[in-house]
Amino acid sequence: MNERELQAFVAVAEHGRMDMAARALGYSQPAVSYQIKCLEMTLGTKLFVRTSAGVTLTRSGALMLPSVQAVLTLMRGIKATTADLALAG
């Protein structure tokens, strides 16, 4: 599990479509699909139900979303702190 997979998960959940999430992230749609597939394999659960109209979160995905959002927020804070420390150097 890595930051890009978590970002892809949140983007797909927010946009409801892989292609729109990919566009928002600046990735290709196959790259986002692959990141979601890898995350699902790591976690051992499906995160989305895929349909021709897009995707919806499974129960597991819905339960996981707030935690992933919190982790990404913490990661951004760590990066900002590290950048501030480097500037103060």
mmCIF file of all heavy atoms in Angstrom, residues 30-51:
data_model
loop_
_atom_site.group_PDB
_atom_site.id
_atom_site.type_symbol
_atom_site.label_atom_id
_atom_site.label_comp_id
_atom_site.label_asym_id
_atom_site.label_seq_id
_atom_site.Cartn_x
_atom_site.Cartn_y
_atom_site.Cartn_z
ATOM 1 N N PRO A 30 -5.865 3.558 -17.084
ATOM 2 C CA PRO A 30 -5.335 2.241 -16.721
ATOM 3 C C PRO A 30 -4.430 2.279 -15.483
ATOM 4 O O PRO A 30 -4.435 1.339 -14.690
ATOM 5 C CB PRO A 30 -4.557 1.800 -17.968
ATOM 6 C CG PRO A 30 -5.210 2.539 -19.090
ATOM 7 C CD PRO A 30 -5.591 3.875 -18.502
ATOM 8 N N ALA A 31 -3.698 3.370 -15.299
ATOM 9 C CA ALA A 31 -2.834 3.485 -14.115
ATOM 10 C C ALA A 31 -3.670 3.543 -12.845
ATOM 11 O O ALA A 31 -3.341 2.894 -11.844
ATOM 12 C CB ALA A 31 -1.942 4.723 -14.221
ATOM 13 N N VAL A 32 -4.760 4.290 -12.868
ATOM 14 C CA VAL A 32 -5.641 4.385 -11.697
ATOM 15 C C VAL A 32 -6.297 3.029 -11.436
ATOM 16 O O VAL A 32 -6.353 2.572 -10.287
ATOM 17 C CB VAL A 32 -6.685 5.508 -11.870
ATOM 18 C CG1 VAL A 32 -7.752 5.442 -10.785
ATOM 19 C CG2 VAL A 32 -5.997 6.860 -11.856
ATOM 20 N N SER A 33 -6.769 2.376 -12.476
ATOM 21 C CA SER A 33 -7.375 1.051 -12.313
ATOM 22 C C SER A 33 -6.382 0.075 -11.695
ATOM 23 O O SER A 33 -6.727 -0.712 -10.809
ATOM 24 C CB SER A 33 -7.850 0.505 -13.659
ATOM 25 O OG SER A 33 -8.901 1.282 -14.163
ATOM 26 N N TYR A 34 -5.136 0.138 -12.153
ATOM 27 C CA TYR A 34 -4.091 -0.745 -11.622
ATOM 28 C C TYR A 34 -3.817 -0.436 -10.150
ATOM 29 O O TYR A 34 -3.669 -1.352 -9.339
ATOM 30 C CB TYR A 34 -2.813 -0.601 -12.452
ATOM 31 C CG TYR A 34 -1.683 -1.450 -11.939
ATOM 32 C CD1 TYR A 34 -1.673 -2.818 -12.152
ATOM 33 C CD2 TYR A 34 -0.621 -0.882 -11.238
ATOM 34 C CE1 TYR A 34 -0.645 -3.613 -11.675
ATOM 35 C CE2 TYR A 34 0.412 -1.662 -10.755
ATOM 36 C CZ TYR A 34 0.397 -3.031 -10.981
ATOM 37 O OH TYR A 34 1.417 -3.812 -10.485
ATOM 38 N N GLN A 35 -3.770 0.839 -9.792
ATOM 39 C CA GLN A 35 -3.527 1.214 -8.396
ATOM 40 C C GLN A 35 -4.658 0.708 -7.498
ATOM 41 O O GLN A 35 -4.406 0.207 -6.384
ATOM 42 C CB GLN A 35 -3.360 2.731 -8.278
ATOM 43 C CG GLN A 35 -2.047 3.197 -8.871
ATOM 44 C CD GLN A 35 -1.987 4.691 -9.112
ATOM 45 O OE1 GLN A 35 -2.988 5.389 -9.051
ATOM 46 N NE2 GLN A 35 -0.796 5.173 -9.407
ATOM 47 N N ILE A 36 -5.888 0.802 -7.971
ATOM 48 C CA ILE A 36 -7.029 0.307 -7.197
ATOM 49 C C ILE A 36 -6.941 -1.215 -7.068
ATOM 50 O O ILE A 36 -7.140 -1.762 -5.987
ATOM 51 C CB ILE A 36 -8.373 0.726 -7.833
ATOM 52 C CG1 ILE A 36 -8.520 2.257 -7.837
ATOM 53 C CG2 ILE A 36 -9.548 0.044 -7.136
ATOM 54 C CD1 ILE A 36 -8.493 2.907 -6.465
ATOM 55 N N LYS A 37 -6.613 -1.881 -8.160
ATOM 56 C CA LYS A 37 -6.479 -3.343 -8.137
ATOM 57 C C LYS A 37 -5.398 -3.771 -7.140
ATOM 58 O O LYS A 37 -5.602 -4.702 -6.344
ATOM 59 C CB LYS A 37 -6.144 -3.864 -9.526
ATOM 60 C CG LYS A 37 -6.001 -5.355 -9.607
ATOM 61 C CD LYS A 37 -5.650 -5.803 -11.012
ATOM 62 C CE LYS A 37 -5.409 -7.295 -11.057
ATOM 63 N NZ LYS A 37 -5.015 -7.741 -12.388
ATOM 64 N N CYS A 38 -4.263 -3.101 -7.150
ATOM 65 C CA CYS A 38 -3.180 -3.415 -6.210
ATOM 66 C C CYS A 38 -3.615 -3.202 -4.771
ATOM 67 O O CYS A 38 -3.330 -4.033 -3.895
ATOM 68 C CB CYS A 38 -1.933 -2.583 -6.521
ATOM 69 S SG CYS A 38 -1.099 -3.041 -8.038
ATOM 70 N N LEU A 39 -4.313 -2.102 -4.513
ATOM 71 C CA LEU A 39 -4.787 -1.813 -3.160
ATOM 72 C C LEU A 39 -5.783 -2.878 -2.707
ATOM 73 O O LEU A 39 -5.713 -3.368 -1.572
ATOM 74 C CB LEU A 39 -5.409 -0.417 -3.109
ATOM 75 C CG LEU A 39 -5.838 0.102 -1.744
ATOM 76 C CD1 LEU A 39 -4.659 0.146 -0.771
ATOM 77 C CD2 LEU A 39 -6.451 1.488 -1.893
ATOM 78 N N GLU A 40 -6.691 -3.256 -3.604
ATOM 79 C CA GLU A 40 -7.660 -4.300 -3.272
ATOM 80 C C GLU A 40 -6.960 -5.625 -2.978
ATOM 81 O O GLU A 40 -7.344 -6.336 -2.037
ATOM 82 C CB GLU A 40 -8.679 -4.470 -4.396
ATOM 83 C CG GLU A 40 -9.643 -3.302 -4.510
ATOM 84 C CD GLU A 40 -10.598 -3.395 -5.682
ATOM 85 O OE1 GLU A 40 -10.251 -4.016 -6.722
ATOM 86 O OE2 GLU A 40 -11.703 -2.837 -5.578
ATOM 87 N N MET A 41 -5.939 -5.934 -3.744
ATOM 88 C CA MET A 41 -5.197 -7.182 -3.511
ATOM 89 C C MET A 41 -4.466 -7.136 -2.172
ATOM 90 O O MET A 41 -4.469 -8.110 -1.416
ATOM 91 C CB MET A 41 -4.221 -7.439 -4.667
ATOM 92 C CG MET A 41 -4.922 -7.851 -5.943
ATOM 93 S SD MET A 41 -3.818 -8.064 -7.362
ATOM 94 C CE MET A 41 -2.683 -9.280 -6.739
ATOM 95 N N THR A 42 -3.851 -6.016 -1.854
ATOM 96 C CA THR A 42 -3.147 -5.866 -0.580
ATOM 97 C C THR A 42 -4.098 -6.017 0.589
ATOM 98 O O THR A 42 -3.773 -6.671 1.587
ATOM 99 C CB THR A 42 -2.452 -4.487 -0.510
ATOM 100 O OG1 THR A 42 -1.484 -4.408 -1.560
ATOM 101 C CG2 THR A 42 -1.764 -4.274 0.827
ATOM 102 N N LEU A 43 -5.267 -5.403 0.480
ATOM 103 C CA LEU A 43 -6.244 -5.414 1.571
ATOM 104 C C LEU A 43 -7.093 -6.682 1.600
ATOM 105 O O LEU A 43 -7.740 -6.976 2.602
ATOM 106 C CB LEU A 43 -7.154 -4.190 1.474
ATOM 107 C CG LEU A 43 -6.443 -2.844 1.645
ATOM 108 C CD1 LEU A 43 -7.396 -1.706 1.319
ATOM 109 C CD2 LEU A 43 -5.890 -2.712 3.054
ATOM 110 N N GLY A 44 -7.117 -7.397 0.486
ATOM 111 C CA GLY A 44 -7.906 -8.628 0.421
ATOM 112 C C GLY A 44 -9.403 -8.405 0.372
ATOM 113 O O GLY A 44 -10.178 -9.245 0.825
ATOM 114 N N THR A 45 -9.808 -7.259 -0.186
ATOM 115 C CA THR A 45 -11.231 -6.946 -0.283
ATOM 116 C C THR A 45 -11.490 -6.039 -1.476
ATOM 117 O O THR A 45 -10.613 -5.290 -1.897
ATOM 118 C CB THR A 45 -11.748 -6.282 1.017
ATOM 119 O OG1 THR A 45 -13.166 -6.197 0.966
ATOM 120 C CG2 THR A 45 -11.164 -4.905 1.233
ATOM 121 N N LYS A 46 -12.682 -6.129 -2.013
ATOM 122 C CA LYS A 46 -13.094 -5.214 -3.080
ATOM 123 C C LYS A 46 -13.491 -3.888 -2.452
ATOM 124 O O LYS A 46 -14.160 -3.851 -1.425
ATOM 125 C CB LYS A 46 -14.285 -5.782 -3.862
ATOM 126 C CG LYS A 46 -13.935 -6.956 -4.738
ATOM 127 C CD LYS A 46 -13.189 -6.477 -5.933
ATOM 128 C CE LYS A 46 -12.937 -7.616 -6.901
ATOM 129 N NZ LYS A 46 -12.010 -7.217 -7.954
ATOM 130 N N LEU A 47 -13.070 -2.808 -3.074
ATOM 131 C CA LEU A 47 -13.370 -1.469 -2.566
ATOM 132 C C LEU A 47 -14.492 -0.796 -3.344
ATOM 133 O O LEU A 47 -15.154 0.102 -2.829
ATOM 134 C CB LEU A 47 -12.111 -0.606 -2.606
ATOM 135 C CG LEU A 47 -10.943 -1.141 -1.777
ATOM 136 C CD1 LEU A 47 -9.688 -0.328 -2.043
ATOM 137 C CD2 LEU A 47 -11.305 -1.138 -0.302
ATOM 138 N N PHE A 48 -14.685 -1.234 -4.590
ATOM 139 C CA PHE A 48 -15.687 -0.625 -5.461
ATOM 140 C C PHE A 48 -16.482 -1.693 -6.183
ATOM 141 O O PHE A 48 -15.970 -2.758 -6.498
ATOM 142 C CB PHE A 48 -15.016 0.260 -6.528
ATOM 143 C CG PHE A 48 -14.285 1.437 -5.968
ATOM 144 C CD1 PHE A 48 -12.913 1.407 -5.803
ATOM 145 C CD2 PHE A 48 -14.968 2.591 -5.601
ATOM 146 C CE1 PHE A 48 -12.223 2.494 -5.289
ATOM 147 C CE2 PHE A 48 -14.293 3.681 -5.081
ATOM 148 C CZ PHE A 48 -12.918 3.635 -4.928
ATOM 149 N N VAL A 49 -17.729 -1.354 -6.475
ATOM 150 C CA VAL A 49 -18.554 -2.124 -7.393
ATOM 151 C C VAL A 49 -18.495 -1.370 -8.705
ATOM 152 O O VAL A 49 -18.807 -0.173 -8.755
ATOM 153 C CB VAL A 49 -20.020 -2.228 -6.890
ATOM 154 C CG1 VAL A 49 -20.886 -2.924 -7.928
ATOM 155 C CG2 VAL A 49 -20.071 -2.927 -5.549
ATOM 156 N N ARG A 50 -18.043 -2.040 -9.744
ATOM 157 C CA ARG A 50 -17.899 -1.399 -11.043
ATOM 158 C C ARG A 50 -19.135 -1.669 -11.900
ATOM 159 O O ARG A 50 -19.590 -2.794 -12.003
ATOM 160 C CB ARG A 50 -16.639 -1.929 -11.723
ATOM 161 C CG ARG A 50 -15.360 -1.482 -11.030
ATOM 162 C CD ARG A 50 -14.250 -2.524 -11.209
ATOM 163 N NE ARG A 50 -12.977 -2.112 -10.652
ATOM 164 C CZ ARG A 50 -12.608 -2.308 -9.393
ATOM 165 N NH1 ARG A 50 -13.426 -2.881 -8.540
ATOM 166 N NH2 ARG A 50 -11.422 -1.915 -8.974
ATOM 167 N N THR A 51 -19.640 -0.607 -12.529
ATOM 168 C CA THR A 51 -20.759 -0.711 -13.460
ATOM 169 C C THR A 51 -20.418 0.100 -14.705
ATOM 170 O O THR A 51 -19.420 0.824 -14.725
ATOM 171 C CB THR A 51 -22.073 -0.174 -12.840
ATOM 172 O OG1 THR A 51 -21.949 1.247 -12.680
ATOM 173 C CG2 THR A 51 -22.381 -0.830 -11.508
#
